[in-house]
Amino acid sequence: MATDVGDVLETSDRRRAGASGKVTLTLRIRRYNPELRGEESWWDEFTIQADPNDRLLDALHEVKWHHDGTLALRRSCAHGICGSDAVMVNGRNRLACKVLVRDIAPKATVEPIRGLPVLKDLIVDMEPFFEGYRSVLPYLINDEGEPDRERLQSPEERQRYDDTTKCILCACCTTSCPIFWGDEGYVGPAAIVQAHRFIFDSRDRGARERLQILADKTGVFRCRTTFNCTDACPRGIEVTKAIQEVKREILLDRF
Amino acid sequence: MAKRRADVGTLYRGSPGQWSWLAHRVTGVAIILFLFVHVVDTAVVGWGPEAYERVSSVYHNWFVLLLELGLVAAVLFHALNGLKIMVFDFWPSTVRHMRPISAATTLVFVLAMVPIVWIMGGSVLEKLGWL
């Protein structure tokens, strides 16, 4: 008996989805649309059928494409690397494309990330976040002149800042930080992670300049080690540890 | 920079560190408020021992004794949590073990509170005439 390739794929898909197939998911979404409803935000509820192995992003697409086309959300790669679909899911910052429906069904609350101005629904103005990012000089600084060949680095030297190279600037950490919510000046965890990536890079010569920026009152000592950032990071970066290492570097730099 | 819109959504269910940070602030404020009262009641001794005795008799009230129990708990928590923060600040690698360190701090707090509640709670009940 000849088996069609399509049948095989469909069967394995169904098996992966479990015997029950689709599950019911009720999404409670925080909406905001100043053009339609003024400054007041409101909650909308949508009940959809979704594959348990779908991501929350797929569920949000289902809502936008088949229930309410006015729902605004930001996403690009949909595979956890561009960092544009950070949202607050059930009270925690997550990437919508890295949360599975089976982990949040039957009901989930979705809100925009906190501490940044909401523009519409789940879309926030990322500019204050990027302002903090730019302020720590997140690029290689080396005024020793152009080398003949690439700047070599030992595996150990590379390992020193490996963890903080993983940042995708999604703002999950920064917008999970209670200090950032309350203090517009604070550069936030993500900016410090980016600074860490260059401060501990053996090829870089701008560490002192960055440490001076981060020693300021809007810098690293705003951190009160609440660990929300480490918990929120979709890349598994030990954000609090990186921040503490920068604090310590500033302390040692002074003596 | 665009103004941040004050918007109350749901509670952020953060890491345990979020809650110990909050408790650290609340206990800190509570302790400093007590200190103000304490400075005043101690200063009353300048008006003589009788005046001081009269003012400090307030502390024998069952409700104030209960507040004192809360004060000891606040100081103890604030001190232990402060030590925890210092460990994280001076030895960044310990940050990786935040959960066990937080659990140990909580355990020490609870164990120390057992005899404190036994002794101070007893005098509250005594004042109430229940013991």
Side-chain angles (χ1 to χ4, degrees):
Chain A
M1 195 175 74
T3 315
D4 189 47
V5 176
D7 284 348
V8 173
L9 287 178
E10 204 190 320
T11 313
S12 65
D13 270 349
R14 227 179 290 129
R15 199 176 300 135
R16 247 186 285 132
S20 60
K22 298 216 165 187
V23 293
T24 304
L25 174 67
T26 302
L27 287 174
R28 199 164 156 260
I29 303 173
R30 192 148 181 93
R31 308 291 304 269
Y32 173 68
N33 187 343
E35 286 172 14
L36 278 185
R37 294 227 199 164
E39 284 304 305
E40 285 298 303
S41 49
W42 73 97
W43 293 98
D44 262 350
E45 262 193 29
F46 302 95
T47 301
I48 58 161
Q49 299 298 312
D51 191 307
N53 289 326
D54 272 352
R55 291 94 35 90
L56 169 64
L57 181 63
D58 301 311
L60 290 171
H61 278 157
E62 170 72 16
V63 170
K64 183 174 174 65
W65 294 340
H66 302 289
H67 295 258
D68 184 350
T70 68
L71 177 70
L73 64 134
R74 202 183 259 141
R75 77 272 185 267
S76 185
C77 81
H79 288 79
I81 202 67
C82 75
S84 49
D85 64 348
V87 285
M88 192 169 139
V89 189
N90 290 337
R92 288 195 169 95
N93 285 355
R94 296 288 183 261
L95 294 183
C97 58
K98 286 190 85 172
V99 175
L100 291 184
V101 166
R102 66 169 180 224
D103 295 327
I104 51 169
K107 198 168 173 159
T109 305
V110 184
E111 294 164 76
I113 45 177
R114 199 159 283 177
L116 293 169
V118 181
L119 299 176
K120 188 184 175 191
D121 298 337
L122 301 175
I123 296 182
V124 298
D125 178 6
M126 296 283 279
E127 188 41 38
F129 171 78
F130 287 123
E131 204 175 294
Y133 169 56
R134 283 192 299 266
S135 75
V136 300
L137 318 176
Y139 39 80
L140 185 89
I141 299 175
N142 191 324
D143 51 10
E144 289 170 355
E146 245 173 75
D148 296 337
R149 45 182 301 187
E150 70 269 30
R151 294 185 166 97
L152 290 178
Q153 193 167 44
S154 72
E156 292 73 32
E157 286 170 331
R158 175 62 179 72
Q159 194 55 38
R160 180 67 191 88
Y161 61 92
D162 184 67
D163 198 36
T164 45
T165 62
K166 294 187 270 178
C167 176
I168 55 174
L169 292 170
C170 64
C172 272
C173 60
T174 295
T175 59
S176 77
C177 176
I179 314 301
F180 182 77
W181 299 335
D183 185 347
E184 293 196 16
Y186 178 37
V187 294
I192 300 168
V193 161
Q194 291 290 339
H196 180 283
R197 184 251 167 275
F198 288 99
I199 289 168
F200 295 100
D201 187 331
S202 60
R203 301 164 296 183
D204 189 271
R205 298 288 173 268
R208 178 149 285 199
E209 205 177 337
R210 286 190 201 92
L211 291 176
Q212 266 165 10
I213 293 164
L214 288 171
D216 196 56
K217 66 180 195 301
T218 58
V220 82
F221 292 105
R222 290 273 88 197
C223 167
R224 294 291 189 278
T225 55
T226 71
F227 288 87
N228 279 7
C229 50
T230 305
D231 170 78
C233 180
R235 305 282 296 156
I237 299 171
E238 294 176 284
V239 184
T240 313
K241 184 165 171 278
I243 296 175
Q244 297 297 81
E245 284 172 359
V246 174
K247 280 183 189 170
R248 201 182 149 81
E249 200 64 17
I250 291 172
L251 201 69
L252 296 177
D253 195 50
R254 288 272 164 97
F255 297 105
Chain B
M1 191 197 283
K3 197 179 180 310
R4 289 186 200 179
R5 211 163 46 88
D7 190 2
V8 182
T10 61
L11 187 69
Y12 195 85
R13 288 160 54 195
S15 149
Q18 174 182 293
W19 304 110
S20 60
W21 162 77
L22 189 65
H24 197 78
R25 301 222 139 178
V26 170
T27 52
V29 170
I31 293 164
I32 197 88
L33 289 179
F34 166 75
L35 267 178
F36 291 144
V37 177
H38 188 52
V39 166
V40 171
D41 71 48
T42 311
V44 169
V45 81
W47 280 267
E50 295 81 17
Y52 179 76
E53 283 299 327
R54 242 177 79 195
V55 169
S56 63
S57 68
V58 172
Y59 290 100
H60 303 309
N61 181 293
W62 71 267
F63 184 68
V64 180
L65 284 176
L66 201 65
L67 285 182
E68 259 180 355
L69 176 59
L71 177 70
V72 173
V75 170
L76 190 64
F77 175 84
H78 200 82
L80 288 170
N81 198 56
L83 291 174
K84 186 185 84 180
I85 294 168
M86 280 192 241
V87 168
F88 290 154
D89 276 345
F90 286 103
W91 296 278
S93 58
T94 57
V95 162
R96 192 169 285 169
H97 312 292
M98 182 270 282
R99 275 166 201 273
I101 291 172
S102 299
T105 314
T106 310
L107 186 71
V108 172
F109 173 75
V110 171
L111 288 180
M113 279 309 286
V114 169
I116 292 169
V117 170
W118 182 262
I119 296 164
M120 296 184 76
S123 47
V124 173
L125 296 181
E126 231 170 78
K127 284 282 173 218
L128 282 167
W130 294 355
L131 208 83

